[in-house]
Amino acid sequence: MDNPDLSHHWLPFSANRAFAADPRLLVSADGVHYVDAGGRRLLDGVSGLFCVPAGHGRPEIASAVSDQLRHLDFAPPFQFAHPDGFALAGELAGILPPGLDRVFFVNSGSEAVETALKGALAYHRARGDAGRTRFVGRERAYHGVNFGGLSVSGIVRNREAFGTGLPGVSHMRATWSPDQVFGWGQPSTGADLADDLQRAVDLYGGSNIAAVIVEPISGSTGVLVPPEGYLERLAEIAAANGILLIFDEVITGFGRTGHAFASQSFAVTPDIITMAKALTNGAIPMGAVAFRRGVHDAVIEAAPPGGIEFFHGYTWSAHPSACAAALATLKIYRDEGLFERSAHLAPTLQQAVLDLKGAGPITDIRGFGLLAGIDLETDGVPGRRGFAVLKQLFNAGLVARVTNDTIILAPPFVATETQIREMVDIVRSVVAGL
Ligand SMILES: Cc1ncc(COP(=O)(O)O)c(C=O)c1O
């Protein structure tokens, strides 16, 4: 296939000049494989970008989207709706933690985060508590790229070029500490870091804080698993102070931790859950926010009868093709027992990845469920070795996510145990040569 002109498309979160000099073009995909422009088959070690757990090229999803586009290509989402939006919200309510059964649709994880933050503000205002405008986020968090999400995130490179962000945001410390290295699952130390929320309460006044937002497992900064007791403590402090707890489950949602949501794996129920990515198995952009019924009801009931309750939404909210893709995806997850399969495969990933210790300049390995982070020793310039490794992995036949100097693996749930071991073997061959 002829290479396209690479000059017009500005790639997101990419080294554009390096890409143009040495492109990694993916031209097709099936199951757990990509095919690149040279016809090479590559293993997909990260489920696309954490969004294709049921494997690529699912005909059920393609047919559902195609049928929907012929049947109802678009319905305006403001003051109108279509049946599939309600059907999908109902299906999600069935797999979400009990009580979180009011669902608002968006088109990405970033929009889900904005919606969650705005929903929290609207809730407090509806209850006559409009002074609660502060948010608490966390260092090393990733909550997307829009201004709200950026402000509660904790990644310097994502923030430093873009001004001051939202006012009134403070950050808790991240949960990783050196005594946790080469562990797997929840570290036994670090629960006390949840007291950083208490410090924010003591400093700013709990009655000024609208919400605290965390990823149950920080994904994009390298799979930081919450210490035992940490999320429980966070929930306790939030509840004691009337602060809404938001779990950003954009990566952890839909089976990555062995349950539909990490909230269920960790047995801690927040007030709001954001989700996106695997909602449509990556086929169509879509995100969603699940609100605890009481949060939703407070906003709805505060508005005058007949009036719009929440001045928020997107042209593509609950787009018919996205709803069709999501409904088909949830059916696949259910029919094929893929969340259970994820739990079943997790020990294979765990064992294979932990065996990498000593195979090269690896300083830590962490993980939970079908999500693993492998830290490489920096070569002096943070991220330089990571980028070199990303390219070497690609050349060796593996698509992985590399963030800074951390390799992240998140295999599709339809991968076989052998394929998971093959993915890790490719990592081994590359890090051994460093
Ligand atoms: C936890 C979390 N929140 C939000 C986002 C942003 O999602 P999107 O890229 O769909 O806007 C991501 C993306 O990786 C994420 O991991």
Side-chain angles (χ1 to χ4, degrees), residues 329-350:
T329 297
L330 294 184
K331 181 165 168 16
I332 291 172
Y333 292 156
R334 193 171 54 241
D335 290 354
E336 298 181 10
L338 288 186
F339 301 163
E340 294 76 17
R341 184 167 169 78
S342 163
H344 171 77
L345 289 171
T348 301
L349 179 69
Q350 173 182 353

Side-chain angles (χ1 to χ4, degrees), residues 13-97:
F13 279 119
S14 296
N16 279 261
R17 291 160 297 178
F19 186 92
D22 181 18
R24 290 168 296 284
L25 282 175
L26 304 172
V27 296
S28 68
D30 61 279
V32 300
H33 288 93
Y34 279 109
V35 177
D36 77 359
R40 277 184 330 128
R41 283 176 76 74
L42 299 106
L43 279 166
D44 179 2
V46 65
S47 303
L49 194 52
F50 311 100
C51 48
V52 193
H56 295 276
R58 297 297 305 234
E60 307 91 321
I61 301 172
S63 305
V65 171
S66 156
D67 291 350
Q68 183 76 294
L69 287 174
R70 288 168 218 279
H71 176 71
L72 179 70
D73 56 349
F74 181 79
F78 307 160
Q79 306 284 22
F80 296 88
H82 64 95
D84 281 357
F86 295 98
L88 177 58
E91 296 253 340
L92 288 171
I95 60 169
L96 279 155

Side-chain angles (χ1 to χ4, degrees), residues 2 11 29 55 67 185 199 205 240 307 332 336 343 376 404 410:
D2 289 341
L11 302 178
D67 291 350
R199 288 175 63 156
I332 291 172
E336 298 181 10
L376 303 173
N404 210 14

Side-chain angles (χ1 to χ4, degrees), residues 49-50 107-111 113 142-145 215 217 219-220 248-251 274 276-277:
L49 194 52
F50 311 100
N107 310 289
S108 66
S110 296
E111 290 180 1
V113 169
Y142 182 64
H143 298 296
V145 291
E215 303 155 87
I217 298 173
S220 295
D248 184 349
E249 296 231 31
V250 167
I251 283 182
T274 57
K277 293 197 185 280

Side-chain angles (χ1 to χ4, degrees), residues 106-282:
V106 300
N107 310 289
S108 66
S110 296
E111 290 180 1
V113 169
E114 304 303 304
T115 301
L117 298 176
K118 289 173 77 176
L121 293 175
Y123 163 73
H124 291 301
R125 188 181 172 86
R127 294 171 60 254
D129 209 358
R132 286 188 184 266
T133 54
R134 295 193 68 91
F135 291 110
V136 178
R138 194 164 59 179
E139 294 168 0
R140 295 189 70 176
Y142 182 64
H143 298 296
V145 291
N146 295 343
F147 275 104
L150 198 63
S151 306
V152 291
S153 294
I155 304 176
V156 62
R157 297 307 299 275
N158 292 3
R159 302 167 58 103
E160 62 189 351
F162 306 114
T164 54
L166 278 187
V169 175
S170 38
H171 288 78
M172 305 180 291
R173 285 168 293 174
T175 58
W176 185 87
S177 64
D179 60 319
Q180 299 168 357
V181 295
F182 297 106
W184 187 271
Q186 293 192 261
S188 57
T189 58
D192 52 312
L193 287 161
D195 291 335
D196 282 7
L197 179 59
Q198 185 62 48
R199 288 175 63 156
V201 165
D202 295 343
L203 184 60
Y204 301 109
S207 63
N208 290 318
I209 302 176
V212 55
I213 179 167
V214 293
E215 303 155 87
I217 298 173
S218 294
S220 295
T221 57
V223 189
L224 313 184
V225 182
E228 285 168 4
Y230 175 88
L231 294 174
E232 291 86 338
R233 180 94 190 103
L234 209 59
E236 225 174 79
I237 298 168
N241 291 281
I243 298 167
L244 293 180
L245 177 61
I246 304 171
F247 278 1
D248 184 349
E249 296 231 31
V250 167
I251 283 182
T252 52
F254 303 102
R256 184 57 57 192
T257 65
H259 289 86
F261 293 91
S263 161
Q264 293 144 336
S265 298
F266 297 128
V268 176
T269 305
D271 300 291
I272 301 174
I273 288 181
T274 57
M275 66 199 88
K277 293 197 185 280
L279 172 54
T280 60
N281 199 43

